[in-house]
Amino acid sequence: MNTLSYKTPSANKKTVQKEWVLIDATGQPLGRLASKVAKLLRGKYKPNFTPHVDCGDNVVIINVDKVILTGKKMTDKVYLRYSGYPGGQRSITPEKLVQRPRGYERMVRHAVKGMLPKSILGARLLKNLYLYQGEEHLQTAQQPKPLDLSSIK
């Protein structure tokens, strides 16, 4: 019996097939949207998933301004950042964040980033995410396939 038939294939940069996916975020809860998008970016839905390789898809999300936060998260949730200096900790609620330019995009990107690996690979995967507040997007030349988030787990 040939032992080579038992080897598990491992994806690399040359063998990975990346696709473009279009997701409409209208009426989607932020956390559920972020977890599914993180899995798409990581490539966990693909049969040739390899943990140390960028084998995920490029994801375009439109209508991020129509994403919803359940409960009282809009006023009670707090985003913290720290400048590194004494007294340099700043906080902002989603209610104030969405009033800023590209606030919804920052909120969704922050949620997705928290669900990706905290490594160089995670930073590289986050560059495959494209967020837009309206229906129009700049990736029409790539012809992204529309994907219904309720169809994936």
Side-chain angles (χ1 to χ4, degrees):
M1 188 172 266
N2 189 0
T3 57
L4 291 177
S5 65
Y6 294 109
K7 283 194 174 181
T8 304
S10 182
N12 59 27
K13 207 177 215 181
K14 296 173 188 170
T15 61
V16 169
Q17 294 178 346
K18 296 177 79 65
E19 297 176 0
W20 285 84
V21 177
L22 178 68
I23 294 175
D24 188 6
T26 305
Q28 297 287 331
L30 177 63
R32 292 172 193 261
L33 171 76
S35 66
K36 291 178 182 180
V37 168
K39 284 183 181 179
L40 285 169
L41 288 171
R42 189 92 197 270
K44 288 212 150 193
Y45 292 111
K46 295 187 175 184
N48 63 343
F49 169 69
T50 307
H52 64 280
V53 178
D54 176 9
C55 52
D57 297 330
N58 297 306
V59 179
V60 179
I61 304 178
I62 57 172
N63 294 323
V64 292
D65 52 339
K66 295 178 182 160
V67 75
I68 59 172
L69 291 173
T70 58
K72 295 195 286 182
K73 292 187 190 103
M74 199 60 124
T75 56
D76 292 354
K77 184 177 176 69
V78 177
Y79 293 111
L80 294 174
R81 67 181 195 275
Y82 180 58
S83 68
Y85 289 97
Q89 183 172 335
R90 305 285 184 252
S91 63
I92 189 168
T93 62
E95 189 176 41
K96 292 179 183 175
L97 181 64
V98 298
Q99 294 171 358
R100 290 183 169 188
R102 300 178 59 192
Y104 279 101
E105 294 176 26
R106 290 178 184 181
M107 191 167 58
V108 173
R109 188 174 302 276
H110 184 272
V112 172
K113 182 180 178 181
M115 297 182 187
L116 290 174
K118 279 56 171 181
S119 62
I120 296 171
L121 176 64
R124 207 173 296 143
L125 292 173
L126 197 60
K127 291 181 182 179
N128 296 332
L129 178 65
Y130 302 89
L131 302 167
Y132 296 99
Q133 288 197 4
E135 290 282 336
E136 290 83 27
H137 58 87
L138 301 176
Q139 277 70 33
T140 51
Q142 284 77 23
Q143 299 173 346
K145 288 187 260 179
L147 180 68
D148 184 23
L149 282 183
S150 60
S151 66
I152 58 176
K153 293 195 180 217

